[in-house]
Amino acid sequence: DTSTMNLPPSLQKIAPYLKKADELQSVEPAIAYHCRVFAIELGVQLRDKSDPNTSQFLKSLMDQAERQKGSVGDLSDAKDRVELFALQLFQKADTEFRTGVATKNTLGKFRAACIIMEVLKQFGEMDEDIAQKYKFAKVWSARIYNDIKNGVQPLPPPALSEMGGANADCNP
């Protein structure tokens, strides 16, 4: 396993995807694989070409992903699997939040959902529904974080009917 502790400075932005891949490796290896692939794709864009450590780190990640690929099974439905996993995470967090019981665990679920939704970018543009849920999760996780940091119980978002329609959720 490639540790994020050895991450070259130009690749710091891929750390969340590698961390999530490590967390999911034993329970959701296919999702972990796609987190790594996304980290590699992003890393190739961000890398410092003058730093040999960056290239070596990415090569190590590629080798790891290639070894892992054989054990994840059929990848023909990869986008659907990753999307379903992201939506399940989002739904769990959203349900907790809307029932007024948001905690640090809720925050973690929203953040994890965001990471997995970002991983979906390797398959192309985010679907509109995913993009709205992504925006909602980003905004509300920031609010939940601030409330918890300030010792306040996070309040659930207003009902859609109070905010003027289906898209209102994403614009708190």
Side-chain angles (χ1 to χ4, degrees):
D1 286 307
T2 305
S3 170
T4 54
M5 290 177 44
N6 301 324
L7 204 57
S10 66
L11 298 180
Q12 290 301 314
K13 288 184 178 180
I14 71 171
Y17 311 104
L18 296 177
K19 183 177 181 214
K20 190 55 58 190
D22 289 344
E23 289 171 9
L24 294 172
Q25 185 59 51
S26 63
V27 291
E28 289 286 347
I31 306 301
Y33 169 77
H34 288 292
C35 288
R36 270 195 195 85
V37 168
F38 183 72
I40 292 165
E41 291 174 357
L42 187 57
V44 166
Q45 295 170 16
L46 298 171
R47 77 183 184 276
D48 176 355
K49 294 176 186 165
S50 66
D51 180 3
N53 292 331
T54 302
S55 295
Q56 184 56 43
F57 186 87
L58 287 171
K59 179 167 180 351
S60 176
L61 266 184
M62 288 179 203
D63 292 345
Q64 181 183 6
E66 195 57 39
R67 283 190 311 272
Q68 185 184 6
K69 187 176 183 179
S71 66
V72 298
D74 181 17
L75 295 174
S76 63
D77 64 345
K79 180 183 183 214
D80 292 339
R81 289 169 70 182
V82 174
E83 189 173 294
L84 178 62
F85 188 76
L87 290 173
Q88 288 171 337
L89 281 171
F90 176 85
Q91 192 60 51
K92 287 176 186 175
D94 189 51
T95 299
E96 288 174 14
F97 188 37
R98 289 181 187 281
T99 57
V101 293
T103 65
K104 284 183 183 179
N105 286 336
T106 310
L107 174 61
K109 288 173 190 157
F110 271 137
R111 287 182 172 171
C114 285
I115 289 169
I116 304 302
M117 288 176 191
E118 289 168 1
V119 167
L120 279 167
K121 292 177 186 175
Q122 71 189 277
F123 303 107
E125 288 285 319
M126 273 188 201
D127 296 339
E128 185 59 32
D129 180 55
I130 297 289
Q132 286 183 347
K133 284 175 171 58
Y134 175 78
K135 186 176 179 182
F136 176 91
K138 291 290 266 189
V139 169
W140 287 103
S141 63
R143 292 202 181 167
I144 292 169
Y145 173 81
N146 285 330
D147 284 350
I148 290 171
K149 187 174 108 179
N150 294 322
V152 177
Q153 175 61 39
L155 295 175
L160 289 176
S161 59
E162 295 172 28
M163 294 180 64
N167 293 331
D169 249 12
C170 298
N171 302 305

